[in-house]
């Protein structure tokens, strides 16, 4: 029995099953707090603790799921390509806002964490917090952060953005679909984008664009910025 | 067959990206280079939209699920989170507000 519980079949089934149920729950109750990722991670952790299974076993058993992370990053290229005409029309403005946003995000989270006494590994793991997880994981791994910690930060940012993002943007007078979409996509990736998708296709299109562009920009700049900041601080 | 071809294109782009990353020592992961290659390939019509569309949509729609195994790894970092919860939460909240402000105001000002 112990061998069956600690097998790829059981671990993959459990993960898929909980995720599907959590997605249904969110659809039914429409609460951003019922985030399927958050729910699935909590249930799986409880299961592993209950069955006394080390994380390394679960990680190995579910490689069939995590293998598709990299291809899903590549698939963002397809989304980016389908927005190409819209990007060209507003090229300068979009690029400027995305560059400023992505640098602001990396530098501010890094410096605030430093000032409040976080450890180096935590600071690096925080740096890519605003981008879609596969890219965040890659940046974190490459720079000496802790990828699974980065994932947690990305989820927290996504949930916060989904719950408070729209209200905050209205407060500072940002209301048009382009600006709202790009801001939320760039700040809170897929979760932020999902929270405005019901407002219309233009909101979700620019949410996706913000997510993709900040992802690319962070993937390119974060390693250099982190290297530079580490050199200056330590 | 159609799906196998599409999956093969994605894995091929990934492999090509990894090779480029390895030989050029760029600070970009193989998957990010693969993503850029896909944009260029589609724009130059080297890759047809219909040859990537279905798998791309499948991957994009289920992106969230693929990182659950990494997220579960959180259970190994309980001590870091309990020790450093203050810098972590302040940094995340303030930085997220700053990013929204910067992007939102630049887009609004110049539109």
């Amino acid at each position: 029995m112990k061998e069956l519980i600690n097998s790829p079949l059981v671990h993959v089934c459990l993960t898929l099953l909980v995720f599907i149920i959590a997605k249904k729950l969110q659809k039914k109750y429409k609460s951003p707090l019922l985030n399927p990722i958050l729910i699935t991670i909590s249930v799986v952790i409880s299961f592993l603790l209950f069955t006394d299974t080390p994380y390394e076993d679960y990680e190995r058993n579910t490689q069939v799921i995590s293998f598709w992370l990299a291809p899903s990053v590549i698939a963002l290229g397809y989304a980016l390509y389908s927005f190409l005409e819209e990007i060209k029309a507003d090229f300068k403005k979009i690029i400027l806002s995305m560059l400023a946003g992505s640098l602001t995000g990396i530098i501010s989270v890094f410096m605030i964490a430093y000032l409040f006494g976080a450890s180096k590994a935590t600071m690096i793991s925080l740096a890519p917090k605003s981008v879609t997880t596969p890219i965040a994981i890659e940046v974190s791994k490459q720079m000496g952060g802790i990828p699974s910690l980065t994932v947690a930060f990305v989820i927290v940012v996504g949930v916060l953005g989904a719950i408070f993002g729209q209200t905050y943007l209205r407060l500072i007078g940002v209301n048009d679909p382009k600006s709202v979409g790009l801001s939320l996509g760039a700040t809170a990736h897929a979760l932020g984008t999902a929270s405005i998708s019901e407002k219309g296709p233009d909101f979700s299109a620019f949410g996706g664009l913000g997510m993709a562009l900040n992802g690319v920009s962070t993937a390119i700049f974060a390693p250099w910025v982190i290297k530079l900041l580490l050199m200056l601080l330590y | 067959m159609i799906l196998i071809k599409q999956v093969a294109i994605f894995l091929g782009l990934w492999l090509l990206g990894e090779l480029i990353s390895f030989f050029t020592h760029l600070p970009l992961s193989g998957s990010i280079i693969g993503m850029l290659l896909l944009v260029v390939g589609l724009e130059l019509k080297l890759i047809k939209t219909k040859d990537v569309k279905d798998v791309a949509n499948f991957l994009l729609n289920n992106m969230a699920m693929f990182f659950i195994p990494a997220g579960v790894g959180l259970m190994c970092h309980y001590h870091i989170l309990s020790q450093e919860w203050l810098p972590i939460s302040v940094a995340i909240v303030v930085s997220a507000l700053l990013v929204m402000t910067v992007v939102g105001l630049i887009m609004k000002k110049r539109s």
Side-chain angles (χ1 to χ4, degrees):
Chain A
M1 193 58 195
K2 185 115 192 158
E3 271 158 38
L4 181 63
I5 287 175
N6 190 348
S7 71
L9 182 61
V10 168
H11 283 165
V12 171
C13 279
L14 172 80
T15 308
L16 296 187
L17 193 72
V18 177
F19 188 70
I20 292 166
I21 295 172
K23 263 201 143 166
K24 287 224 157 113
L25 273 175
Q26 192 191 34
K27 220 174 190 174
K28 193 171 173 193
Y29 296 104
K30 293 193 170 70
S31 162
L33 284 174
L34 281 173
N35 184 266
I37 298 138
L38 215 57
I39 294 176
T40 311
I41 290 174
S42 320
V43 173
V44 171
I45 289 181
S46 314
F47 177 83
L48 295 180
L49 292 175
F50 185 71
T51 56
D52 208 11
T53 311
Y55 171 65
E56 288 70 28
D57 290 0
Y58 174 79
E59 189 186 26
R60 197 176 48 242
N61 285 337
T62 52
Q63 268 167 8
V64 66
I65 299 176
S66 38
F67 178 82
W68 297 100
L69 262 178
S72 73
V73 175
I74 297 174
L76 277 173
Y78 174 76
L80 211 57
Y81 171 75
S82 39
F83 291 130
L84 224 49
E85 289 312 309
E86 313 218 18
I87 302 175
K88 281 177 186 164
D90 248 334
F91 193 68
K92 276 189 192 160
K93 192 167 66 179
I94 293 174
I95 296 298
L96 180 70
S97 73
M98 286 297 118
L99 283 179
S102 111
L103 289 176
T104 305
I106 301 163
I107 297 172
S108 65
V109 83
F110 201 87
M111 291 309 297
I112 296 168
Y114 175 77
L115 292 175
F116 278 80
S119 68
K120 214 197 258 185
T122 304
M123 286 155 60
I124 297 172
S125 308
L126 274 168
K129 59 131 188 32
S130 273
V131 303
T132 188
T133 318
I135 294 179
I137 289 178
E138 292 289 351
V139 171
S140 178
K141 204 190 290 171
Q142 190 190 344
M143 298 310 300
I146 305 162
S148 52
L149 200 57
T150 297
V151 172
F153 297 152
V154 169
I155 295 167
V156 172
V157 172
V159 174
L160 284 176
I163 301 174
F164 303 111
Q166 278 189 73
T167 317
Y168 176 72
L169 286 171
R170 208 177 303 129
L171 215 68
I172 59 170
V174 175
N175 294 307
D176 64 297
K178 259 187 197 178
S179 311
V180 171
L182 282 171
S183 311
L184 267 178
T187 309
H189 51 93
L191 294 174
T193 305
S195 74
I196 47 168
S197 59
E198 280 164 14
K199 298 186 72 168
D202 40 356
F203 280 90
S204 45
F206 277 91
L209 181 58
M211 170 173 115
L213 286 180
N214 193 26
V216 177
S217 166
T218 301
I220 295 173
F221 292 113
W224 305 98
V225 174
I226 294 171
K227 249 183 223 167
L228 186 74
L229 290 175
L230 284 175
M231 245 163 53
L232 292 172
L233 296 174
Y234 294 95
Chain B
M1 251 338 261
I2 297 169
L3 281 181
I4 293 176
K5 186 180 171 188
Q6 294 202 9
V7 169
I9 289 177
F10 277 91
L11 298 187
L13 285 168
W14 184 10
L15 184 59
L16 199 58
E18 291 293 343
L19 289 172
I20 293 175
S21 172
F22 180 80
F23 285 111
T24 60
H25 302 286
L26 286 172
L28 291 175
S29 66
S31 56
I32 309 276
I33 297 176
M35 171 181 74
L36 298 173
L37 289 175
L38 178 58
V39 177
V40 173
L42 287 166
E43 181 70 358
L44 296 179
K45 314 269 183 243
L46 294 171
I47 300 169
K48 290 184 201 126
T49 310
K50 71 167 175 63
D51 286 337
V52 289
K53 198 179 166 205
D54 307 288
V55 169
N57 283 329
F58 168 77
L59 291 169
L60 290 171
N61 291 337
N62 295 288
M63 214 167 182
M65 195 185 68
F66 304 134
F67 68 73
I68 287 172
V72 172
L74 190 60
M75 64 190 278
C76 308
H77 306 296
Y78 175 75
H79 59 286
I80 295 189
L81 291 175
S82 55
Q83 269 168 16
E84 301 185 30
W85 64 270
L86 181 70
I88 289 171
S89 14
V90 176
I92 283 182
V93 171
V94 176
S95 173
L97 290 177
L98 283 175
V99 176
M100 271 194 282
T101 312
V102 168
V103 177
L105 291 186
I106 291 178
M107 285 303 294
K108 189 184 142 197
K109 194 174 180 182
R110 310 187 78 220
S111 57

